[in-house]
Amino acid sequence: MSITDRKYDFAVIVPMANESMDFDSFISKLKKALDFIGSGKVYLIVDKVSKDNTLALCEQLSEEDKRFKTIWAPENKNVVDAYIRGYKEATPYHDIIIEMDAGMSHDPTALPMFLRVLNEGNECVFGSRFINGGSIWQSSFKRRFLSKSGTLLSNLLLGSRLKDMTSGYQGFHASVVRKLLCYDLLSTGHFYQTEVRYLMRKYRYIEVPIHYRAPSPNVSFKSIINSLSVLIHYFIQRILFRSKSL
């Protein structure tokens, strides 16, 4: 059965912050992907980090196209809160949850691939830039270095085996997300994706190639410090034979 022959009950979680420059191009590609699939709901999570008119653009879109729902979350303290808020909004109503970044970092045309592999017996699917067919472009040397070194270091210290431990394009069955929502994550920044992939290592998962574009600002020093502290925390747990998983 092809992807156009069935309806998938799925949601896409997209944190939105200062997206006015790429808003139209990103939403246009996302709409085309939803049209091709024939189903889908998109939750746009906006918080106080956004200083431009992103909220207004999202609200207008939600009025015009009911496949898009805008969530105003001023209580969010970081990007992890945005993802979690999206999960909480979507999980009660959808079987599959996919998270992705806006700003054209993640390509919406990959959504059918994510859905296909999640309906082939996999509980999790992780986008990877570092397997055959994947790529990373328009990204600074620092971002590429942090992504690759972060993956190598995480696999070394945590015993994980993924080719890409730091990508944020990923999807799950709702049953997996519900368990994640019961867990107190330690990450407050970019290490969130690594933490999630480590915690989900015992589920049935697969990596799929993605093309990643990184026009966003460099990773902050605060985020790097948080990443290292969380990594060391799980490493210590691992060597003490108290390795965490969901």
Side-chain angles (χ1 to χ4, degrees), residues 151 154-155 158-165 201 205 207:
T151 291
S154 296
N155 284 334
L158 303 180
S160 48
R161 301 179 181 276
L162 289 173
K163 300 294 184 181
D164 191 343
M165 286 288 286
R201 69 194 181 281
Y205 68 81
E207 286 187 273

Side-chain angles (χ1 to χ4, degrees), residues 106-171:
H106 294 147
D107 188 353
T109 60
L111 286 174
M113 175 176 58
F114 277 75
L115 291 171
R116 176 176 56 80
V117 298
L118 283 169
N119 281 276
E120 291 178 344
N122 299 292
E123 296 170 287
C124 312
V125 56
F126 302 124
S128 177
R129 300 156 292 180
F130 308 132
I131 61 175
N132 289 337
S135 67
I136 179 170
W137 57 290
Q138 287 191 358
S139 180
S140 67
F141 172 79
K142 180 180 178 181
R143 288 296 294 268
R144 294 195 303 271
F145 174 78
L146 288 173
S147 295
K148 289 189 175 182
S149 61
T151 291
L152 291 172
L153 189 60
S154 296
N155 284 334
L156 176 64
L157 297 183
L158 303 180
S160 48
R161 301 179 181 276
L162 289 173
K163 300 294 184 181
D164 191 343
M165 286 288 286
T166 61
S167 168
Y169 205 166
Q170 49 198 6

Side-chain angles (χ1 to χ4, degrees), residues 224-240:
I224 294 174
I225 293 300
N226 174 253
S227 299
L228 291 174
S229 65
V230 177
L231 178 60
I232 292 171
H233 169 84
Y234 284 116
F235 172 66
I236 292 173
Q237 284 193 335
R238 180 179 176 232
I239 63 175
L240 293 178

Side-chain angles (χ1 to χ4, degrees), residues 153-207:
L153 189 60
S154 296
N155 284 334
L156 176 64
L157 297 183
L158 303 180
S160 48
R161 301 179 181 276
L162 289 173
K163 300 294 184 181
D164 191 343
M165 286 288 286
T166 61
S167 168
Y169 205 166
Q170 49 198 6
F172 315 97
H173 283 282
S175 57
V176 177
V177 176
R178 291 188 189 99
K179 292 183 179 180
L180 177 64
L181 290 175
C182 294
Y183 186 88
D184 290 327
L185 293 167
L186 302 177
S187 301
T188 58
H190 291 79
F191 197 76
Y192 156 78
Q193 284 86 10
T194 306
E195 184 177 10
V196 167
R197 293 183 184 206
Y198 171 66
L199 293 171
M200 295 184 176
R201 69 194 181 281
K202 294 184 179 180
Y203 287 95
R204 294 187 301 276
Y205 68 81
I206 191 172
E207 286 187 273

